[in-house]
Coordinates of all heavy atoms in Angstrom, one line a residue:
P78 N -0.7 18.4 -6.4 CA -2.1 18.5 -6.0 C -2.3 17.5 -4.8 O -1.7 16.3 -4.8 CB -2.9 17.8 -7.2 CG -2.1 18.3 -8.3 CD -0.6 18.1 -7.9
L79 N -2.9 17.9 -3.8 CA -3.1 17.1 -2.5 C -3.8 15.7 -2.8 O -3.4 14.7 -2.2 CB -3.8 17.9 -1.4 CG -4.1 17.2 -0.1 CD1 -2.8 16.8 0.5 CD2 -4.9 18.1 0.8
T80 N -4.8 15.8 -3.7 CA -5.6 14.6 -3.9 C -4.7 13.5 -4.6 O -4.7 12.3 -4.1 CB -6.7 14.9 -4.9 OG1 -6.1 15.6 -6.1 CG2 -7.8 15.6 -4.4
L81 N -3.8 13.9 -5.4 CA -2.9 12.8 -6.0 C -1.8 12.4 -5.1 O -1.4 11.3 -4.9 CB -2.3 13.3 -7.3 CG -1.3 12.4 -8.0 CD1 -2.0 11.1 -8.4 CD2 -0.6 13.1 -9.2
D82 N -1.3 13.4 -4.4 CA -0.2 13.1 -3.4 C -0.6 12.1 -2.4 O 0.1 11.1 -2.0 CB 0.2 14.3 -2.7 CG 1.6 14.2 -2.1 OD1 2.5 13.5 -2.7 OD2 1.8 14.8 -0.9
L83 N -1.9 12.3 -1.8 CA -2.4 11.3 -0.9 C -2.7 10.0 -1.4 O -2.5 9.0 -0.9 CB -3.7 12.0 -0.2 CG -3.5 12.7 1.0 CD1 -4.9 13.4 1.5 CD2 -3.0 11.8 2.3
S84 N -3.2 10.0 -2.7 CA -3.5 8.7 -3.3 C -2.4 7.9 -3.5 O -2.3 6.7 -3.3 CB -4.2 9.0 -4.8 OG -5.5 9.6 -4.7
N85 N -1.1 8.5 -3.9 CA 0.1 7.8 -4.0 C 0.6 7.3 -2.7 O 1.1 6.2 -2.6 CB 1.1 8.8 -4.6 CG 0.9 8.8 -6.2 OD1 0.6 7.8 -6.8 ND2 1.2 9.9 -6.8
K86 N 0.5 8.2 -1.7 CA 1.2 7.8 -0.4 C 0.4 6.7 0.2 O 1.0 5.7 1.0 CB 1.1 9.0 0.5 CG 2.2 10.0 0.2 CD 2.2 11.3 1.1 CE 3.4 12.1 1.1 NZ 3.8 12.6 -0.4
I87 N -1.0 6.6 0.0 CA -1.7 5.5 0.5 C -1.2 4.1 -0.1 O -1.1 3.2 0.6 CB -3.2 5.7 0.3 CG1 -3.8 6.8 1.2 CG2 -4.0 4.4 0.4 CD1 -5.2 7.3 0.8
L88 N -1.1 4.0 -1.4 CA -0.7 2.9 -2.0 C 0.8 2.6 -1.8 O 1.2 1.3 -1.7 CB -0.9 3.0 -3.5 CG -2.3 3.1 -4.0 CD1 -2.4 3.1 -5.5 CD2 -3.1 1.8 -3.5
K89 N 1.7 3.5 -1.6 CA 3.0 3.1 -1.3 C 3.2 2.5 0.1 O 3.9 1.6 0.3 CB 3.9 4.5 -1.3 CG 4.2 5.0 -2.7 CD 5.1 6.2 -2.8 CE 6.5 5.9 -2.5 NZ 7.4 7.1 -2.7
E90 N 2.3 3.2 1.0 CA 2.3 2.5 2.4 C 1.6 1.2 2.3 O 2.0 0.2 3.1 CB 1.5 3.4 3.4 CG 1.8 3.2 4.8 CD 3.3 3.4 5.1 OE1 4.0 4.2 4.5 OE2 3.8 2.7 6.1
L91 N 0.6 0.9 1.5 CA -0.1 -0.4 1.4 C 1.0 -1.4 0.9 O 1.0 -2.7 1.3 CB -1.2 -0.4 0.4 CG -2.2 -1.5 0.3 CD1 -2.8 -1.9 1.7 CD2 -3.2 -1.3 -0.7
T92 N 1.8 -1.0 0.0 CA 2.9 -1.8 -0.7 C 3.8 -2.2 0.4 O 4.3 -3.4 0.5 CB 3.5 -1.1 -1.8 OG1 2.5 -1.0 -2.9 CG2 4.6 -2.0 -2.4
E93 N 4.2 -1.2 1.3 CA 5.1 -1.5 2.4 C 4.5 -2.7 3.3 O 5.2 -3.6 3.8 CB 5.4 -0.3 3.2 CG 6.3 0.8 2.5 CD 7.7 0.2 2.2 OE1 8.3 -0.4 3.3 OE2 8.2 0.3 1.1
L94 N 3.3 -2.5 3.6 CA 2.6 -3.5 4.4 C 2.6 -4.9 3.8 O 2.8 -5.8 4.4 CB 1.2 -3.1 4.7 CG 0.9 -2.0 5.7 CD1 -0.5 -1.4 5.7 CD2 1.1 -2.6 7.2
R95 N 2.4 -4.9 2.5 CA 2.5 -6.2 1.7 C 3.9 -6.8 1.9 O 4.1 -8.0 2.0 CB 2.0 -6.0 0.3 CG 2.1 -7.2 -0.5 CD 1.6 -7.1 -2.0 NE 2.3 -6.1 -2.8 CZ 3.4 -6.2 -3.5 NH1 3.9 -7.4 -3.5 NH2 3.9 -5.2 -4.2
R96 N 4.9 -6.0 1.6 CA 6.2 -6.5 1.6 C 6.6 -6.9 3.1 O 7.4 -7.9 3.2 CB 7.2 -5.4 1.1 CG 6.9 -5.1 -0.4 CD 8.1 -4.4 -1.0 NE 7.8 -4.0 -2.4 CZ 7.9 -4.7 -3.4 NH1 8.2 -6.0 -3.2 NH2 7.6 -4.2 -4.6
E97 N 6.2 -6.2 4.1 CA 6.6 -6.5 5.4 C 5.9 -7.9 5.8 O 6.4 -8.7 6.5 CB 6.1 -5.4 6.4 CG 6.8 -4.2 6.3 CD 6.2 -3.1 7.1 OE1 5.2 -3.3 7.7 OE2 6.7 -1.9 6.9
N98 N 4.6 -8.1 5.4 CA 3.9 -9.3 5.7 C 3.8 -9.7 7.1 O 3.9 -10.8 7.4 CB 4.5 -10.5 4.8 CG 3.6 -11.6 4.7 OD1 2.3 -11.4 4.5 ND2 4.1 -12.9 4.6
T99 N 3.6 -8.7 7.9 CA 3.4 -9.0 9.3 C 2.1 -8.5 9.9 O 1.3 -9.4 10.4 CB 4.6 -8.3 10.1 OG1 4.6 -6.8 9.8 CG2 5.9 -8.8 9.8
Q100 N 1.8 -7.3 9.8 CA 0.5 -6.8 10.2 C -0.7 -7.3 9.4 O -1.8 -7.5 9.9 CB 0.5 -5.2 10.3 CG 1.4 -4.7 11.5 CD 1.4 -3.2 11.5 OE1 2.0 -2.4 10.7 NE2 0.7 -2.7 12.5
I101 N -0.4 -7.3 8.0 CA -1.5 -7.7 7.1 C -0.8 -8.7 6.2 O 0.1 -8.5 5.5 CB -2.1 -6.6 6.2 CG1 -2.6 -5.4 7.1 CG2 -3.2 -7.0 5.3 CD1 -3.2 -4.3 6.4
K102 N -1.3 -9.9 6.3 CA -0.5 -11.1 5.5 C -1.3 -11.7 4.3 O -0.8 -12.6 3.8 CB -0.4 -12.2 6.7 CG 0.5 -11.8 7.8 CD 0.7 -13.0 8.7 CE 1.6 -12.6 9.9 NZ 2.0 -13.7 10.7
Y103 N -2.4 -11.0 3.9 CA -3.1 -11.6 2.8 C -3.0 -10.7 1.5 O -3.7 -11.0 0.5 CB -4.5 -11.8 3.2 CG -5.2 -10.5 3.8 CD1 -5.5 -9.5 2.9 CD2 -5.3 -10.4 5.2 CE1 -6.1 -8.4 3.5 CE2 -5.9 -9.3 5.7 CZ -6.2 -8.3 4.9 OH -6.8 -7.1 5.5
L104 N -2.2 -9.7 1.5 CA -2.2 -8.7 0.4 C -1.5 -9.2 -0.9 O -0.5 -9.9 -0.7 CB -1.6 -7.4 0.8 CG -2.3 -6.6 1.9 CD1 -1.4 -5.4 2.4 CD2 -3.6 -6.1 1.5
R105 N -2.1 -9.1 -2.1 CA -1.4 -9.3 -3.3 C -1.1 -8.0 -4.0 O -1.4 -6.9 -3.5 CB -2.4 -10.2 -4.2 CG -2.7 -11.5 -3.6 CD -3.5 -12.4 -4.5 NE -3.7 -13.7 -4.0 CZ -4.3 -14.8 -4.7 NH1 -4.8 -14.5 -5.9 NH2 -4.4 -15.9 -4.1
P106 N -0.3 -8.0 -5.1 CA 0.4 -6.9 -5.6 C -0.6 -5.8 -6.2 O -0.2 -4.6 -6.2 CB 1.3 -7.4 -6.7 CG 1.6 -8.8 -6.4 CD 0.3 -9.3 -5.7
D107 N -1.7 -6.2 -6.7 CA -2.5 -5.1 -7.5 C -3.4 -4.3 -6.5 O -4.1 -4.9 -5.6 CB -3.4 -6.1 -8.4 CG -4.1 -5.1 -9.4 OD1 -3.9 -3.8 -9.5 OD2 -4.9 -5.6 -10.3
S108 N -3.4 -3.1 -6.7 CA -4.2 -2.2 -5.8 C -4.4 -0.9 -6.5 O -3.7 -0.4 -7.3 CB -3.8 -2.0 -4.5 OG -2.4 -1.5 -4.5
K109 N -5.5 -0.2 -6.0 CA -5.8 1.2 -6.6 C -6.4 2.0 -5.4 O -6.9 1.5 -4.4 CB -7.0 1.1 -7.6 CG -6.7 0.2 -8.8 CD -7.8 0.1 -9.8 CE -7.9 1.4 -10.5 NZ -8.8 1.3 -11.7

């Protein structure tokens, strides 16, 4: 389902941003 696929992809990319810690530097692990 597109709704779930997009929801997952958004969070996986957000996690990548957190791990990179360059463009966004204040993220913590919990998100929805």
